[in-house]
């Protein structure tokens, strides 16, 4: 029945007669963390419902969206150099009579808002992470010539309003997927912009998460990584009315047929509760890999960072986790050169790293971010000192991840085959510990989890051979 009520919920694709004569194309360029990768897909889904198809190259795009990161100065500045290139592109297209709408989304959009329009007048729209469901409407207005800054926190739940991707689209994205379960952060570490760019901590409901995971599994996804800036702080009301934590949620998701691997990132040491540790002990589908950033090994610096835990809290937590799941591999984030960090403080970080032993880690020079307490602190560390410390820390971390990879040589592991490798006849998958593994196998096996034996460790990946032939193979190793 016809009615005049404004349309709510997921936007329906426009009818053919309403669609523009030429197909509209969007190019989304993603910077920053996995949450931005997820958001870029959801933006593409929202725009697909409005008739936009993905562009193969930026040159052919009618709409260019930069999904940006504000975490360190370098990350934020990249956006402006990219916008410089895009300005030329827009001028070229205009000469050919083609209109181009340029949008900045993500954390730089949220942090800098209108300032972006001032620094880069080529930009038509600025949209913060909380309002992506409004993107199709915002793009329409930008096309009509309006300059738009949409960075208010929306009262409505954006996830309720973002359309689910079509099954075909999910399939085209592969056999692994991200699923954001939690956004924002209330921790206010003194170096970090996230509480300002992503707002207060919010958890999605169990029902929403389960429904999305079921849709992914139905489209052939075998591995889901739950995402959140503070993913292990996720909490929600379960169907029984009780409060669930992430551990309980993982047990529920493990019941979904077809979903064989579960991961989550990023966690804060303060929110690793007993139930989550028990999930690592009891849940075979939960991969034995945990990204648990500590940032620094000195209690004085941890306090100044407002991390709300000491080095020994962290070490005893690791001990509990390893007791529950002895084969767990640990990953972390480190910042060197936080204001006031002395040589002795830095040595504490080195000692902690030696004690924990990481399979993988990310380390950064402290970057003062406007508006955060760290940027105002005295005793900023000179860049040269930060460089030296970073080099030493990275050498140690590289040695540890190399040793971890070497320790797997000769070991039989389960490999989820994800995509074609560089050479014909090769596929690349991920080990339970997230390392890329290269193996000879035919493309028909993508999505299978196969036992392989690790032959050698390369610089960034492992090389393996298929172990036992599965029922799907004949004597020639060819799929029948
Ligand atoms: N939510 C995650 C981390 C988000 S940011 C957590 O709490 O662990 C990812 C990493 O970037 C952080 O763990 C930190 O190591 C690094 N980082 C954040 N702000 C930074 C800054 N101002 N300078 C350098 N590195 C920073
Ligand atoms: Fe940033 Fe700290 Fe929150 Fe992580 S926990 S997002 S580092 S404020
Ligand atoms: Fe960057 Fe925002 Fe993620 S600042 S790390 S894109 S939450």
């Amino acid at each position: 029945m016809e009615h005049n009520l404004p349309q709510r919920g997921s936007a329906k694709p426009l009818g053919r007669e309403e669609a523009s004569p030429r197909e509209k194309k969007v190019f989304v360029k993603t910077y920053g963390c996995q949450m931005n990768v997820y958001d870029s897909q959801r933006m593409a889904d929202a725009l697909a419902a409005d008739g936009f198809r993905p562009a193969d190259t930026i040159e052919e795009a009618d709409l260019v969206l930069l999904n940006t990161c504000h975490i360190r100065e370098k990350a934020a500045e990249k956006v402006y150099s990219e916008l410089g290139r895009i300005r030329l592109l827009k001028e070229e297209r205009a000469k050919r009579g083609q209109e181009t709408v340029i949008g900045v989304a993500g954390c730089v959009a949220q942090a800098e808002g209108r300032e972006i329009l001032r620094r880069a007048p080529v930009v038509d729209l600025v949209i913060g992470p909380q309002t992506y469901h409004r993107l199709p409407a915002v793009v329409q207005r930008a096309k009509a010539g309006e300059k738009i800054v949409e960075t208010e926190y929306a009262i409505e739940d954006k996830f309720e309003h973002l359309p689910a991707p079509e099954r075909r689209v999910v399939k085209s994205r592969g056999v692994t997927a991200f699923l954001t379960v939690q956004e924002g952060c209330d921790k206010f570490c003194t170096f970090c912009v996230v509480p300002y760019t992503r707002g207060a901590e919010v958890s999605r409901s169990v029902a929403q998460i389960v429904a999305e995971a079921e849709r992914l599994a139905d489209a052939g996804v075998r591995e889901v990584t739950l995402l959140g800036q503070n993913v292990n702080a996720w909490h929600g009301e379960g169907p029984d009315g009780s409060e669930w934590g992430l551990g309980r949620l993982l047990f529920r998701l493990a019941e979904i047929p077809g979903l064989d691997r579960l991961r989550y990132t990023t966690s804060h040491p303060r929110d690793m509760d007993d139930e989550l540790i028990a999930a690592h002990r009891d849940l075979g589908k939960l991969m034995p890999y945990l990204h648990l950033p500590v940032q620094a090994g000195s209690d004085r610096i941890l306090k100044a960072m407002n991390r709300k835990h000491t080095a020994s809290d962290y070490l005893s937590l690791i001990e509990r986790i390893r007791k529950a799941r002895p084969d767990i591999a640990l990953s972390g984030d480190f910042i060197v050169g936080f204001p006031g960090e002395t040589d002795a403080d830095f040595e504490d970080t080195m000692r902690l790293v030696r004690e924990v032993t990481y399979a993988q880690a990310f380390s950064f020079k402290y970057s003062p971010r406007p508006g955060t307490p760290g940027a105002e602190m005295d005793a900023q560390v000179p860049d040269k000192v930060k460089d030296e410390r970073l080099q030493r820390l990275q050498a140690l971390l590289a040695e540890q991840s190399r040793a971890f990879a070497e320790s797997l040589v000769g070991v039989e592991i389960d490999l989820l085959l994800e995509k074609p490798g560089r050479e014909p006849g090769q596929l690349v998958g991920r080990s339970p510990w997230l390392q890329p593994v290269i193996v000879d196998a035919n493309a028909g096996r993508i999505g299978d989890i196969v036992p392989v034996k690790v032959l050698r460790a390369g610089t960034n990946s492992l090389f393996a051979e298929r172990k036992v032939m599965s029922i799907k193979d004949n004597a020639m190793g060819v799929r029948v």
Side-chain angles (χ1 to χ4, degrees):
M1 199 176 79
E2 293 284 331
H3 60 72
N4 293 322
L5 292 174
Q7 240 195 311
R8 275 173 52 90
S10 56
K12 283 261 180 312
L14 290 176
R16 275 264 164 245
E17 67 281 7
E18 287 171 275
S20 67
R22 199 172 65 83
E23 196 175 58
K24 297 176 287 185
K25 290 200 167 167
V26 55
F27 190 88
V28 188
K29 187 161 178 177
T30 310
Y31 303 82
C33 63
Q34 293 104 323
M35 301 200 59
N36 267 10
V37 174
Y38 176 85
D39 285 348
S40 289
Q41 291 181 346
R42 299 307 300 264
M43 283 193 269
D45 298 337
L47 290 161
D50 203 28
F52 276 94
R53 299 283 158 259
D56 293 327
T57 63
I58 195 166
E59 287 80 11
E60 66 177 32
D62 306 288
L63 169 63
V64 176
L65 285 174
L66 302 184
N67 191 7
T68 61
C69 174
H70 200 250
I71 203 79
R72 283 166 292 274
E73 193 183 349
K74 250 194 207 151
E77 284 308 310
K78 258 190 217 163
V79 176
Y80 289 101
S81 46
E82 183 69 15
L83 286 171
R85 283 190 288 275
I86 288 174
R87 186 173 60 85
L88 302 177
L89 203 103
K90 184 168 174 163
E91 283 166 10
E92 281 302 310
R93 281 177 51 94
K95 277 185 209 152
R96 295 197 297 268
Q98 292 169 325
E99 199 190 341
T100 321
V101 173
I102 311 295
V104 175
C107 291
V108 177
Q110 189 63 45
E112 297 187 4
R114 193 160 294 281
E115 172 69 9
I116 297 174
L117 296 183
R118 199 190 60 76
R119 272 187 75 178
V122 67
V123 173
D124 301 296
L125 70 95
V126 174
I127 187 163
Q130 310 308 325
T131 38
Y132 291 155
H133 55 295
R134 297 184 188 159
L135 191 59
V138 165
V139 169
Q140 285 304 329
R141 280 164 53 203
K143 277 181 89 163
E146 199 181 330
K147 291 269 180 187
I148 300 162
V149 179
E150 184 94 5
T151 50
E152 296 293 307
Y153 290 136
I155 338 148
E156 70 272 16
D157 175 359
K158 76 169 169 191
F159 292 107
E160 287 288 350
H161 291 75
L162 279 166
E166 289 171 33
R167 195 166 183 275
R168 173 183 59 80
V169 172
V170 177
K171 269 185 149 351
S172 72
R173 289 177 182 159
V175 295
T176 62
F178 292 135
L179 199 176
T180 293
V181 299
Q182 177 281 325
E183 279 204 285
C185 180
D186 294 341
K187 297 271 191 304
F188 290 93
C189 300
T190 53
F191 50 82
C192 185
V193 293
V194 169
Y196 312 97
T197 62
R198 295 279 176 164
E201 192 192 294
V202 180
S203 293
R204 291 179 70 188
S205 72
V206 174
Q208 257 188 23
I209 296 165
V210 169
E212 190 165 330
E214 283 174 344
R215 270 202 311 275
L216 292 170
D218 176 58
V221 167
R222 304 290 307 271
E223 173 181 302
V224 165
T225 303
L226 306 182
L227 298 180
Q229 271 91 12
N230 242 291
V231 72
N232 58 345
W234 177 89
H235 57 97
E237 193 181 312
D240 54 356
S242 72
E243 177 92 340
W244 285 19
L246 190 68
R248 186 74 197 85
L249 180 67
L250 285 162
F251 277 99
R252 172 66 187 87
L253 295 176
E255 291 169 8
I256 297 175
L259 271 195
D260 289 307
R261 287 183 161 197
L262 297 169
R263 303 180 186 273
Y264 61 93
T265 200
T266 291
S267 297
H268 192 288
R270 292 254 303 179
D271 295 315
M272 269 329 278
D273 65 10
D274 290 341
E275 202 177 24
L276 187 50
I277 296 175
H280 278 286
R281 183 191 60 213
D282 300 335
L283 210 49
K285 289 185 175 184
L286 182 55
M287 291 294 100
Y289 181 91
L290 177 62
H291 184 63
L292 195 63
V294 66
Q295 314 296 353
S298 147
D299 287 346
R300 216 173 57 79
I301 295 298
L302 286 169
K303 190 154 193 274
M305 286 177 162
N306 193 30
R307 289 290 292 182
K308 299 195 177 85
H309 61 79
T310 62
S312 77
D313 293 337
Y314 182 79
L315 291 171
S316 45
L317 174 60
I318 298 289
E319 205 178 295
R320 279 167 55 216
I321 296 167
R322 282 197 162 132
K323 209 180 244 164
R325 185 80 204 228
D327 68 338
I328 202 156
L330 290 164
S331 149
D333 291 340
F334 297 89
I335 295 178
V336 299
F338 186 77
E341 187 187 69
T342 61
D343 285 343
D345 292 320
F346 175 66
E347 292 310 325
D348 287 344
T349 300
M350 294 291 278
R351 195 167 323 118
L352 179 137
V353 170
R354 283 192 202 98
E355 199 154 328
V356 173
T357 316
Y358 290 90
Q360 163 90 332
F362 305 90
S363 45
F364 313 97
K365 287 195 285 182
Y366 171 66
S367 169
R369 307 304 290 127
T372 61
E376 306 300 320
M377 287 179 188
D378 297 332
Q380 296 286 329
V381 175
D383 204 47
K384 189 166 161 287
V385 176
K386 287 185 198 167
D387 273 330
E388 285 162 10
R389 288 180 187 164
L390 187 66
Q391 250 181 37
R392 280 189 57 208
L393 177 60
Q394 290 191 334
L396 175 61
L397 291 167
E399 197 184 295
Q400 293 190 345
S401 67
R402 175 94 207 146
F404 177 66
E406 293 286 354
S407 75
L408 293 172
V409 173
V411 174
E412 192 180 315
I413 63 174
D414 281 338
L415 183 64
L416 168 59
L417 299 171
E418 284 183 31
K419 56 186 179 198
R422 220 174 283 159
E423 308 289 330
Q426 282 183 342
L427 294 184
V428 185
R430 293 272 180 174
S431 76
W433 307 282
L434 215 53
Q435 300 133 304
V437 184
I438 297 161
V439 70
D440 286 341
N442 80 46
R445 302 300 301 261
I446 289 176
D448 288 356
I449 296 173
V450 296
V452 300
K453 189 173 157 190
V454 178
L455 298 174
R456 68 185 172 88
T459 330
N460 296 313
S461 37
L462 301 172
F463 293 84
E465 66 179 4
R466 297 276 298 286
K467 190 66 184 88
V468 262
M469 288 207 277
S470 81
I471 209 158
K472 288 177 183 156
D473 291 316
N474 62 19
M476 302 297 288
V478 176
R479 195 174 190 187
V480 290

